[in-house]
Amino acid sequence: MERLDKRLANTGRWSRKEARELIRGGRVAVGGEVCRAPETKVGLDAAVAVDEALIGGGGPVYLMLNKPAGVVSSTDEPGKRTVLDLLGEAYQNLGLFPAGRLDQDTEGLLLLTNDGPLAHRLLSPKRHVDKVYYVEVDGVLDEGDAEAVRQGVKLADGYVCLPGELEPLPGGRAAHMTLREGKYHQVKRMLAARGKPVIYLRRVRFGPLILDESLPKGGWRALTEEETQALFRQ
Ligand code: URA
């Protein structure tokens, strides 16, 4: 359940303030009845209409998930637990899918949405949306690795990665790594090419979205209005 004004704002079509004005102005109906109270709680499957046009049987939904290790970033994979399995019943038939993928053993920030055009834009290789990872390696990361990442690491198959950033943390066993592309197993392959295999990986940022550290592993929440708007500006 979420507030009606939030539900409208989550579509990215109205700010929270505009949504409140629409609602108070009698232009919003829930289940066919005009509703003038912005704080009314509505389920994601409630039929919400603005000026008699449904915003969808649930409207666009944007969720931030703190993906735990052990679940796959797909909607349906026989025999495997998927990120959708972590959501409640009400979220199963909304057409949600993960915008991008994290490996089964990778944790952290995953955007789940049913907004295909937005996901497509965010994932387009031309957009170079920043992805930031916290990574731990078997080895010690140093300035040589940071320089190699800045220049563009050459993978075992000969592909030269776009320049990124690597900031080793004190001791060098962990680092923050920023990439602007999303090739298969990219962080693992880049650091394997440097002889420092990844032993733990967590995504902490995706474009303007920062992992909400108050979310437990497997926890999720709807994006705030500010987060949704920031995604649209990306
Ligand atoms: N790079 C990887 O190697 N794995 C991920 O899950 C994400 C980025």
Side-chain angles (χ1 to χ4, degrees), residues 102-103 106 133 185-188 201:
L102 293 176
D103 297 336
T106 301
Y133 298 88
H185 287 341
Q186 188 159 0
V187 173
K188 291 174 185 164
L201 189 58

Short mmCIF file of all heavy atoms in Angstrom, two decimals, residues 102-103 106 133 185-188 201, ligand 1:
data_model
loop_
_atom_site.label_atom_id
_atom_site.label_comp_id
_atom_site.label_asym_id
_atom_site.label_seq_id
_atom_site.Cartn_x
_atom_site.Cartn_y
_atom_site.Cartn_z
N LEU A 102 22.69 -8.51 -12.07
CA LEU A 102 23.83 -8.76 -11.19
C LEU A 102 24.00 -10.27 -11.17
O LEU A 102 23.02 -11.02 -11.26
CB LEU A 102 23.54 -8.25 -9.77
CG LEU A 102 23.42 -6.72 -9.62
CD1 LEU A 102 23.02 -6.37 -8.17
CD2 LEU A 102 24.72 -6.03 -9.99
N ASP A 103 25.24 -10.74 -11.04
CA ASP A 103 25.48 -12.18 -11.00
C ASP A 103 24.77 -12.79 -9.80
O ASP A 103 24.48 -12.11 -8.81
CB ASP A 103 26.99 -12.47 -10.87
CG ASP A 103 27.76 -11.97 -12.07
OD1 ASP A 103 27.18 -11.84 -13.16
OD2 ASP A 103 28.98 -11.71 -11.90
N THR A 106 26.41 -11.87 -6.67
CA THR A 106 26.61 -10.45 -6.40
C THR A 106 25.43 -9.90 -5.60
O THR A 106 24.28 -10.29 -5.84
CB THR A 106 26.74 -9.65 -7.72
OG1 THR A 106 27.85 -10.16 -8.45
CG2 THR A 106 26.94 -8.17 -7.48
N TYR A 133 30.63 -0.16 -7.55
CA TYR A 133 30.68 -1.44 -6.84
C TYR A 133 31.63 -1.34 -5.67
O TYR A 133 32.67 -0.67 -5.75
CB TYR A 133 31.17 -2.55 -7.77
CG TYR A 133 30.27 -2.78 -8.95
CD1 TYR A 133 30.43 -2.07 -10.12
CD2 TYR A 133 29.24 -3.71 -8.88
CE1 TYR A 133 29.59 -2.26 -11.21
CE2 TYR A 133 28.39 -3.91 -9.95
CZ TYR A 133 28.57 -3.19 -11.11
OH TYR A 133 27.72 -3.38 -12.17
N HIS A 185 29.95 -10.16 -16.41
CA HIS A 185 30.99 -10.43 -15.40
C HIS A 185 32.11 -9.38 -15.43
O HIS A 185 33.27 -9.69 -15.22
CB HIS A 185 31.65 -11.79 -15.64
CG HIS A 185 30.80 -12.96 -15.29
ND1 HIS A 185 29.71 -12.89 -14.47
CD2 HIS A 185 30.93 -14.26 -15.65
CE1 HIS A 185 29.17 -14.10 -14.35
NE2 HIS A 185 29.88 -14.94 -15.06
N GLN A 186 31.73 -8.13 -15.73
CA GLN A 186 32.79 -7.18 -16.04
C GLN A 186 33.79 -6.92 -14.91
O GLN A 186 35.00 -6.95 -15.13
CB GLN A 186 32.20 -5.84 -16.49
CG GLN A 186 33.31 -4.92 -17.00
CD GLN A 186 32.80 -3.84 -17.89
OE1 GLN A 186 31.60 -3.76 -18.15
NE2 GLN A 186 33.69 -2.99 -18.36
N VAL A 187 33.28 -6.68 -13.70
CA VAL A 187 34.21 -6.38 -12.61
C VAL A 187 35.11 -7.60 -12.37
O VAL A 187 36.34 -7.47 -12.24
CB VAL A 187 33.44 -6.03 -11.32
CG1 VAL A 187 34.39 -5.89 -10.15
CG2 VAL A 187 32.63 -4.75 -11.51
N LYS A 188 34.50 -8.77 -12.37
CA LYS A 188 35.29 -9.98 -12.10
C LYS A 188 36.35 -10.20 -13.18
O LYS A 188 37.48 -10.54 -12.89
CB LYS A 188 34.37 -11.20 -12.02
CG LYS A 188 33.46 -11.18 -10.80
CD LYS A 188 32.48 -12.31 -10.86
CE LYS A 188 31.48 -12.22 -9.71
NZ LYS A 188 30.32 -13.06 -9.91
N LEU A 201 31.32 -9.07 -4.11
CA LEU A 201 30.94 -7.93 -4.95
C LEU A 201 29.55 -7.43 -4.57
O LEU A 201 28.61 -8.23 -4.42
CB LEU A 201 30.95 -8.38 -6.42
CG LEU A 201 30.77 -7.29 -7.49
CD1 LEU A 201 31.87 -6.23 -7.39
CD2 LEU A 201 30.81 -7.93 -8.89
N1 URA B 1 30.43 -7.21 -12.66
C1 URA B 1 30.47 -8.52 -12.34
O1 URA B 1 31.47 -9.18 -12.54
N2 URA B 1 29.38 -9.06 -11.77
C2 URA B 1 28.26 -8.36 -11.51
O2 URA B 1 27.30 -8.92 -10.98
C3 URA B 1 28.24 -7.01 -11.84
C4 URA B 1 29.34 -6.45 -12.42
#
